[in-house]
Every structure is written in structure tokens, then in C-alpha cells.
Amino acid sequence: MSLEMGKKAIDFFHAHSIDTALPYLAFYGGEPLLNFNMIKQSVAYAKQVFEWRSISFGTTTNGTLLTDEIVDFLVQNNFRLTISLDGPQAIHDQSRVFGANEKGSYNIVVKNIERLMRRHPEYGKKIRINTVINPQNSYDEINSMFEDSKIAALDSLHTIVETENDDSMRPTDTYLNESLYNGFLMLLHLAGEIPEESLTRLSKDEIAGTKKSLEKFERGRLGSIAAPGGPCIPGKNKLFVDCSGNFYPCERVSEGSECMRIGSLDTGLDMRQADALLNIARLTEDQCKNCWAFSHCNICAKQVDENGKLSAAKKLEACKRTKKVVFSNIDTKVALFELNRFRATQARGQRV
Amino acid sequence: MKKRVCAVPFSAEDIPVILNAKTLLDGYAVHTVVTPKGIGIDGRDIGHIENRAPLGFTASSDMETGIQQCEATLILGRVFQDPLYVFAVKALEYAITQKKIIFCLLRLSEEEKEKYAKAAMEHGASLWFARQDALPPDVYVETSEMLYKPHANVVFIGELVEKTQGYEVFCNLLSACKRAGLKATGISAEPATALFGHHMIDLSQMEGNPAGHVFRVNQYIRELEKQEHPELILIHLSKPMMRFDERVLYDLGVSAYMISQAVTPGYMIICSPFGFFEDAFWKPISESFEVKFG
């Protein structure tokens, strides 16, 4: 992105965030640090435009370009720094390779993290690693990267690589068995049977999300007007601007997709398009109204994008996957209930 | 002729103060509203900050000119963590050097207040600070004492969730009472309440045992009524009146409940987010509030 475009985006953000208490500006790529000068100048400009407001910054990087100069800048501006690390060297280097020589980047990334932590120990505690899990690998092997105490000290999150329509990414039996076993251990932990320390790091990172899913069962009844959850309010939570100044709801959607475009710096927000992304339930209105998992739905517009168009068929495919997850949450909820009942009856010295 | 006031540094929560100063601050009227450019309303009507219709005040980012143009400066109530706090301190220091009449709602320590009072005296400026009322000391060992029932009508103005403009409703009511010739006494934790000649006290700040707190609030109201003989007592509850959900708990409505035990409201105004109009939503809340708050 050119600096001019960046400045234009910052001006738009400023003009449309008067009621935002904590404005946040983040840089994504490709690899955003390849254009470090632009980031530096954009941050200076944003600080000037947002004077006397608590603007904060962030970036997600592959971690290969973290020189002392860049790190010092990130620290000075208190960047929320997320570094991609997909597992131990053997796994990380499967997909994270330098274009020039096809060599894996693991060693350089870890060295950079170590140097950063030596140079700025306090800041180092705040950085986060993001792991994109390829379920063709072993769950336990991916988790073994946390055996390195320096990596274990960092905050972490993970997502599973999208497997839909891509057989080369389907989970292997090994992955499934190991992840299911770890899921079982997490269940025991949630039931209070085993301490958190007994869990793998990947499982620990899932505790909050699992609890949140289970909390959905505690909600009261629906009102007479309701919509399934899932989509964010496009442009409200986040507004992603690409190099040409087009708007998208976030950095995760496809920039090549027509239906994901919600306006541009020149034309402003396209409210009709944003409305379409917010209300994807309209695609399958009848099915949604009669769906038992209505209030547990978490399908976002990204999942129903088919060649640049919002697709009802794609939505129904996503529905099937979502219902499976909700069903598994019901399993967990019931299992937890039964485990608690078992313990209560045991405590009373009764037979189950 | 009312004295002109420069209000600085403005942000959305100051709207009730700006709008009601004309009625509630005798002898003064807000003339200039100053806020840094970064806030995003420079040269625009202040209503823009909340996407409202124009409110009749144009924001300026020129602090020095704003202060120079007016006889009085109103330093708005920023807390230390607020990014505008330092801007407010700068404005205060500048107003002192310009020998202005200064109303300061800024949350300063006693040492800082002393420092600025001294500086104001040296420069020939007049400096007024918002001072908190205090509850009577905790002397209620016996809880058998009868609770005092005020003669005046008591109205609670509370919020269902934060930022639903309860303080603006409170200030608007004080203004309406004044215009109607009704003698009202207002109580709120917001510093501007003291500026408007009412009582700045946070009744939700509970110390000591709960029953003792109820009696102290009750005695405070008794003393207030004895001294001021109001026809109406308006109490702005500083914390929402119930939890929002499992995560956003506020104080579970405990402080509002405690205050209602000290002084039972005859009426209650509940500010809620726009759009909750169904009976199915309001009926249970209305019933539970009637039981809880009397």
C-alpha cells in the first residue's frame, strides 16, 4: 500500500470513529514488515491525526524481518505483535519457506523472538504466537513446540487450516485420535477432575472458547424478533482496507471476492453490501427459522462466499458443519452434567 | 449580561453540562467549546460527537483563543487515566495565567488543588473546585433506630446499562424544575452537580457494614431536607441497576438497592438502550424493580 493510500485510510478511520473509545490500527499482509517504512510513516501520521486519543497499533507478521530497528519501533509504539509459528521446525517449515531458496523460516523466527525477548524482556511477555494447524500433522507433535520454554512463555492462539473442499488438508487418523484424546482431557478438567497443568498447551488455549460455547446453553428464550449469530456488523468491529482502497469486513475474507467488498475510500461504505453480509440468514430464511441450532449459529459471511457471490447452497453446507459442532457441544454439556452428578452421588455415598 | 464561559476539553460525556449550564449556572453561559483536533469535531457542532442533531455549540481546537475570548473557563471533569487529562491540566494552567474565573471539575489530588489555588492567587485568577459532600461518620451501632422518611418526593434516575445518558436526564430534570419554579435538590457523583449548586456525592461508595451505610445515607438525606426543604429530591444512581449478563455484572445492582433501602423512591426513571420496547422485556423488569426498590 502506498503512503498516500494509508493516509487516506487513516483519515477515513478518524472521521468515522468519533465515538470509538479505543481506536486500533493494525497492519496485515502478505508480510506487512516488508513495507516497514510505510508502517512507520503511517503510525506517525495516525498519532498526529488522533492527537490526545488513545490510539493503539498492532501487526501480524511471519517474524522473519524482526530486526532491532523494527523491534525498537514496535516497542516504542506499544504494538500488539502477533507472530505466526505453526509448530516445531519440522512442521513450521512445511509451509513457511523463503521464496528465494525454499528454505524453512523456523530457525530465523525463533532466533528473532529470542533476540526480541533479550532486548525488551517486558514487551516480550506481551507478544503472541498464532499457530495455523494443519491436521495432516500429529496434534501432539504440533504441541511439542511448547516444550521450548521461550515459546511456552508467550501468549498463544491457534486456528485449524480450512479443510473444506481440500482433501489434502483432511485430518489424519493420528491427528483425530490425538486431538479427541486431548479434548477428553479438557472435559475432565472442566469437570474439575484434573488440573489445568495436565492439559497440553493447545488444549489450554481452547478452554475459554469451549466455556463460551457452553455458556450459550444458559441463555434465555428468544424474543419475537431474532437473528442467528455469526456475522459481525461489517465495518463496525473492523474495517479492512486493501492496497487499492477497497473495504472488507476483516483481513480474513478474500480480497478478490466481489461480495465481500463493502465500499471504498472513494465511495464510502456500501450499506447495501454491508447489510447483505450482516444478514446472510436471509439466504436460508425458512431453514433458519426452523433450525434447532438457531441461537448457537456462528456462520459468518466468509463461509458462504462462492466465487464472489453469497451462496445459499454454501450456507447450507456450513450449516451442516455448524450443527455438528453444536451437537458436540451438547455432548460436552451432557457429559459434564453427568460427571458432576456422578461426583455428587459419590460424595453422598450413593450408587449412581 | 451573563459572563461567557469557555468549556475545555470537551468530549461526549460533557454534553449534559454544556447544555444545562445556561439554566443551572447562574450568571454564566457557555460561549466556546474547546476540544483537540484528534477528537474529530473541530469546526463542527458538538452534537456530531454522538451523531445527534445540532446542539448549538461549535467545537474549536484553539484552546488559547477560546480561553482568552471568555471571562470564565470551565475545566471539564477528566480523570487521570483519560487521554484528555493532560490537555485539561494545560488548559487550567493557561487559564490561571490569563487571570480568568475558573471552574475546575478536574479530578485532582488535594496537593494539586493547593498548588493551583496558590498559583491562581499569585496571578489574580479566581479558582473554584468541585468539592464532594461526605456522609456522616459511621456511628450507627444500634440498628433499631427508625429510618427517616423524607417529606419531599424522591426520584431515582438510573441506567439499565452504562452510557444510556442517565446524567443528562438528571441535569435536564434539574433545569426543568428550576424553570418551573420547583425547589429540587439533586444528588450525583458527577462533579458538575456541585457546579450547578447541588450535591456531588457518590452514594454507591459503600464503606463499613451495609446496614451502617444505609443509615448514614438516610441521615444524610434527613440533614439535606432539614437544611434545604426541597419539594423534590433527584438522585442519580452512578452504577447500573442490575447486571447486564453473565459477564457484564456492574455491581449486580447492589448499590442501587442499598440506596433504595436508605431512601425509598416515589418514582424511578430507568434509562435503557434504544429499541427495547417489548412488554415481554419490560414487564418482568418493572415488577422486579418495584419489589426491589419499592
Side-chain angles (χ1 to χ4, degrees):
Chain A
M1 182 183 272
S2 67
L3 181 60
E4 282 64 38
M5 191 64 83
K7 283 183 171 177
K8 218 169 151 186
I10 289 164
D11 287 338
F12 186 92
F13 180 35
H14 179 243
H16 291 81
S17 62
I18 288 171
D19 58 351
T20 304
L22 299 168
Y24 175 67
L25 180 65
F27 301 88
Y28 298 95
E31 173 46 45
L33 295 180
L34 282 169
N35 205 352
F36 176 59
N37 265 336
M38 186 269 178
I39 293 180
K40 224 160 87 172
Q41 292 175 72
S42 297
V43 166
Y45 183 69
K47 281 163 110 174
Q48 179 195 324
V49 171
F50 283 84
E51 60 160 359
W52 298 102
R53 285 175 70 183
S54 305
I55 184 162
S56 58
F57 304 97
T59 191
T60 299
T61 170
N62 63 25
T64 57
L65 297 171
L66 291 170
T67 60
D68 286 349
E69 184 203 353
I70 290 178
V71 164
D72 291 349
F73 170 82
L74 298 177
V75 173
Q76 273 161 22
N77 292 287
N78 200 20
F79 263 62
R80 279 184 231 172
L81 179 63
T82 304
I83 300 173
S84 304
L85 199 65
D86 291 346
Q89 184 169 13
I91 290 175
H92 178 89
D93 285 350
Q94 286 168 359
S95 52
R96 307 265 182 190
V97 293
F98 290 105
N101 57 13
E102 297 285 310
K103 277 192 178 164
S105 64
Y106 181 88
N107 283 333
I108 290 180
V109 176
V110 171
K111 257 187 209 160
N112 284 344
I113 292 174
E114 285 170 3
R115 212 180 51 243
L116 185 156
M117 292 181 80
R118 271 199 309 273
R119 199 169 166 87
H120 300 285
E122 278 309 305
Y123 179 78
K125 288 178 198 160
K126 291 192 284 186
I127 64 176
R128 183 161 74 166
I129 57 163
N130 180 32
T131 303
V132 180
I133 291 179
N134 175 355
Q136 289 273 300
N137 293 306
S138 149
Y139 182 96
D140 290 341
E141 200 185 336
I142 297 167
N143 193 69
S144 70
M145 76 170 145
F146 295 107
E147 285 164 14
D148 181 334
S149 60
K150 288 179 289 296
I151 305 293
L154 303 176
D155 194 12
S156 59
L157 80 162
H158 63 267
T159 48
I160 298 181
V161 74
E162 284 164 25
T163 56
E164 168 199 352
N165 302 330
D166 186 355
D167 283 338
S168 69
M169 290 291 178
R170 294 254 178 256
T172 58
D173 285 349
T174 309
Y175 178 87
L176 276 178
N177 289 337
E178 289 169 355
S179 69
L180 284 172
Y181 175 66
N182 280 290
F184 172 67
L185 290 181
M186 184 166 67
L187 184 73
L188 290 179
H189 165 68
L190 291 174
E193 292 290 332
I194 59 171
E196 193 174 320
E197 296 75 57
S198 314
L199 303 180
T200 61
R201 177 62 177 271
L202 290 175
S203 296
K204 281 181 198 170
D205 292 344
E206 282 172 17
I207 292 175
T210 305
K211 280 184 178 167
K212 209 172 162 189
S213 300
L214 295 179
E215 274 171 20
K216 285 190 183 176
F217 292 104
E218 314 292 337
R219 288 185 189 164
R221 64 192 169 92
L222 288 171
S224 56
I225 300 171
C232 61
I233 300 174
K236 169 76 179 161
N237 286 358
K238 272 187 180 179
L239 184 65
F240 180 79
V241 186
D242 73 4
C243 299
S244 314
N246 293 314
F247 294 156
Y248 301 87
C250 71
E251 76 284 4
R252 292 185 211 103
V253 304
S254 162
E255 291 166 53
S257 169
E258 194 66 39
C259 68
M260 290 296 150
R261 207 167 295 152
I262 54 170
S264 74
L265 287 171
D266 291 328
T267 57
L269 279 163
D270 180 341
M271 298 306 278
R272 260 186 21 180
Q273 197 62 30
D275 178 77
L277 297 188
L278 175 63
N279 292 293
I280 49 167
R282 282 197 204 119
L283 295 167
T284 52
E285 199 170 328
D286 290 339
Q287 288 94 331
C288 283
K289 278 180 182 167
N290 296 306
C291 179
W292 59 266
F294 183 95
S295 55
H296 297 265
C297 185
N298 59 5
I299 301 172
C300 91
K302 178 182 188 298
Q303 291 165 270
V304 304
D305 175 3
E306 189 167 35
N307 303 322
K309 288 201 170 111
L310 297 174
S311 150
K314 200 99 194 282
K315 168 102 195 308
L316 292 173
E317 277 172 31
C319 287
K320 278 186 205 158
R321 293 194 299 273
T322 301
K323 281 180 189 168
K324 262 192 197 168
V325 173
V326 178
F327 213 86
S328 143
N329 288 338
I330 294 174
D331 274 351
T332 307
K333 184 83 184 162
V334 172
L336 281 173
F337 176 79
E338 290 297 337
L339 272 166
N340 282 329
R341 198 166 67 111
F342 174 75
R343 287 201 309 186
T345 47
Q346 265 202 332
R348 285 202 303 269
Q350 295 170 355
R351 279 200 295 168
V352 183
Chain B
M1 181 75 172
K2 289 194 171 196
K3 287 193 171 75
R4 288 171 301 179
V5 177
C6 170
V8 57
F10 171 81
S11 69
E13 61 265 34
D14 302 310
I15 287 177
V17 185
I18 306 292
L19 293 185
N20 287 286
K22 192 177 162 188
T23 311
L24 297 176
L25 188 58
D26 290 331
Y28 295 88
V30 174
H31 174 268
T32 308
V33 177
V34 172
T35 193
K37 259 193 186 149
I39 301 300
I41 56 165
D42 191 24
R44 307 178 82 153
D45 187 277
I46 60 169
H48 183 71
I49 203 165
E50 283 193 334
N51 218 8
R52 294 188 186 196
L55 298 175
F57 297 91
T58 304
S60 157
S61 60
D62 187 347
M63 185 252 282
E64 295 190 358
T65 308
I67 289 176
Q68 283 165 20
Q69 277 175 350
C70 300
E71 291 83 28
T73 304
L74 170 58
I75 308 290
L76 292 159
R78 304 273 86 84
V79 291
F80 184 68
Q81 299 83 352
D82 192 317
L84 288 178
Y85 181 87
V86 177
F87 191 90
V89 169
K90 276 187 169 186
L92 170 61
E93 289 171 351
Y94 185 72
I96 289 174
T97 63
Q98 297 300 302
K99 307 177 177 40
K100 298 292 175 184
I101 301 163
I102 305 162
F103 302 108
C104 183
L105 307 182
L106 201 56
R107 312 267 183 170
L108 296 168
S109 67
E110 285 307 316
E111 294 75 43
E112 284 169 318
K113 281 182 185 170
E114 220 169 274
K115 181 181 98 181
Y116 288 120
K118 202 174 153 206
M121 207 190 284
E122 282 166 10
H123 282 88
S126 143
L127 179 55
W128 174 94
F129 288 112
R131 298 269 175 197
Q132 285 228 36
D133 286 18
L135 285 181
D138 196 355
V139 291
Y140 295 98
V141 183
E142 296 288 326
T143 52
S144 55
E145 189 179 334
M146 287 277 285
L147 283 168
Y148 173 74
K149 193 176 179 315
H151 301 291
N153 263 314
V154 176
V155 181
F156 278 9
I157 297 105
E159 296 183 325
L160 217 49
V161 292
E162 276 178 319
K163 296 189 176 175
T164 41
Q165 296 167 336
Y167 189 61
E168 186 167 345
V169 172
F170 170 81
C171 288
N172 291 350
L173 279 174
L174 285 177
S175 288
C177 289
K178 195 169 177 183
R179 283 194 295 268
L182 258 174
K183 195 166 186 318
T185 286
I187 300 168
S188 166
E190 295 298 322
T193 317
L195 176 74
F196 295 152
H198 292 270
H199 300 277
M200 171 193 173
I201 178 167
D202 191 352
L203 299 178
S204 72
Q205 285 300 326
M206 284 182 285
E207 280 166 19
N209 71 73
H213 182 76
V214 168
F215 274 97
R216 290 165 72 206
V217 171
N218 182 259
Q219 201 206 10
Y220 174 77
I221 299 291
R222 177 165 54 189
E223 286 306 308
L224 216 67
E225 189 157 57
K226 206 156 76 181
Q227 286 170 24
E228 299 182 8
H229 307 290
E231 291 165 274
L232 202 60
I233 298 172
L234 301 175
I235 299 177
H236 169 233
L237 302 173
S238 57
K239 290 176 183 157
M241 303 158 85
M242 57 191 272
R243 70 175 187 179
F244 181 68
D245 60 18
E246 286 77 12
R247 283 198 171 76
V248 184
L249 300 174
Y250 302 124
D251 72 342
L252 300 161
V254 170
S255 63
Y257 175 71
M258 297 291 284
I259 298 165
S260 76
Q261 296 310 293
V263 50
T264 309
Y267 301 89
M268 181 176 268
I269 294 170
I270 303 162
C271 304
S272 86
F274 183 80
F276 292 100
F277 294 132
E278 284 183 20
D279 247 16
F281 177 81
W282 279 112
K283 210 165 163 259
I285 288 182
S286 195
E287 282 168 3
S288 86
F289 277 19
E290 205 174 325
V291 173
K292 235 193 308 191
F293 300 112

